[in-house]
Amino acid sequence: GPWTMDMCLSESFFSMLPHLELLMIGDNCFSCQNLTIKSMNNLKRIMIDNYSYRSWILYSSCKEHVHFRVVDCPQLRSIEIGNRSFLECGNCEFRNLPSLVMMKLGYHCFQWASLELRGDWRSDGWWLDLPRLKSLQFGEKCFCCCHSLVFESGCGEGEWWVDLPELESIRFDKSVFCFNDTDMSWAV
């Protein structure tokens, strides 16, 4: 609630919770600030409810320095972000999440953010994609003023592409991934 508006969840905070399996943040929590969830080996689920990680200015714009990153969480199975959360966030990155099955983003999430959804190189030299990802859902106006969009798959030895072998559904609601008209945006 409102008491969280002046607080910050930092990487060092998460490092003190090595056995955390569920991260659940309620409605109207935290102001527009960086959130990095990294190397949480036991984390299985992220749930962030409505109107969290945003400023309370009625007509706000992108804050390019603000990011949301979920990186190197090998057991993470689901990410659910509620409506109008991370509204002014400038960059959003999901990387090296080999157990991710489902991602659901509510309406007006990450309105101004650029998105990177990618695998990563494993220590043995093979590229690790999102091999278990089955469902992606982007609510109305998610990333509707983005600058870039990266859905990246890699290759291992011999140019063998791994891709998204389990993906069953992608849902794009109205006005998702419309690029910012003020610059020359790009997609990969």
Side-chain angles (χ1 to χ4, degrees):
W3 65 271
T4 62
M5 285 303 168
D6 294 326
M7 296 181 64
C8 180
L9 293 179
S10 65
E11 280 186 69
S12 59
F13 171 79
F14 288 116
S15 70
M16 296 184 298
L17 305 169
H19 301 290
L20 186 70
E21 292 186 13
L22 168 65
L23 173 61
M24 186 170 172
I25 297 173
D27 290 340
N28 301 306
C29 290
F30 303 102
S31 62
C32 190
Q33 58 185 275
N34 293 329
L35 177 60
T36 298
I37 301 168
K38 183 177 181 183
S39 301
M40 299 291 298
N41 293 329
N42 293 303
L43 186 64
K44 291 180 174 63
R45 188 171 184 192
I46 297 172
M47 295 175 57
I48 300 175
D49 286 339
N50 304 319
Y51 299 94
S52 292
Y53 284 93
R54 56 169 296 198
S55 67
W56 294 101
I57 299 168
L58 184 59
Y59 297 105
S60 59
S61 62
C62 177
K63 294 174 177 48
E64 291 184 23
H65 64 281
V66 175
H67 66 260
F68 175 60
R69 297 178 66 226
V70 181
V71 179
D72 300 328
C73 297
Q75 300 301 315
L76 185 64
R77 292 190 304 246
S78 70
I79 299 171
E80 298 174 61
I81 309 290
N83 300 329
R84 294 189 180 267
S85 290
F86 297 96
L87 188 65
E88 302 92 352
C89 182
N91 295 289
C92 180
E93 177 185 8
F94 301 100
R95 184 169 42 89
N96 197 12
L97 306 173
S99 298
L100 189 66
V101 173
M102 186 269 298
M103 184 182 332
K104 180 180 179 182
L105 306 179
Y107 68 82
H108 288 266
C109 289
F110 303 103
Q111 185 168 336
W112 299 94
S114 294
L115 172 65
E116 293 184 30
L117 180 62
R118 59 176 70 198
D120 207 354
W121 289 104
R122 295 188 330 196
S123 60
D124 62 5
W126 282 92
W127 184 269
L128 181 66
D129 281 321
L130 300 165
R132 293 190 177 99
L133 187 63
K134 290 182 187 250
S135 174
L136 284 170
Q137 181 175 340
F138 299 96
E140 182 177 334
K141 294 193 176 181
C142 280
F143 305 99
C144 71
C145 297
C146 66
H147 295 280
S148 66
L149 167 63
V150 178
F151 279 35
E152 186 173 78
S153 180
C155 58
E157 290 181 22
E159 301 296 321
W160 179 65
W161 288 89
V162 181
D163 294 331
L164 302 167
E166 297 291 320
L167 191 62
E168 295 173 357
S169 69
I170 301 176
R171 178 178 172 174
F172 299 104
D173 286 346
K174 182 179 175 185
S175 301
V176 173
F177 298 120
C178 299
F179 287 94
N180 187 339
D181 290 333
T182 62
D183 68 0
M184 295 303 293
S185 301
W186 55 273
V188 175

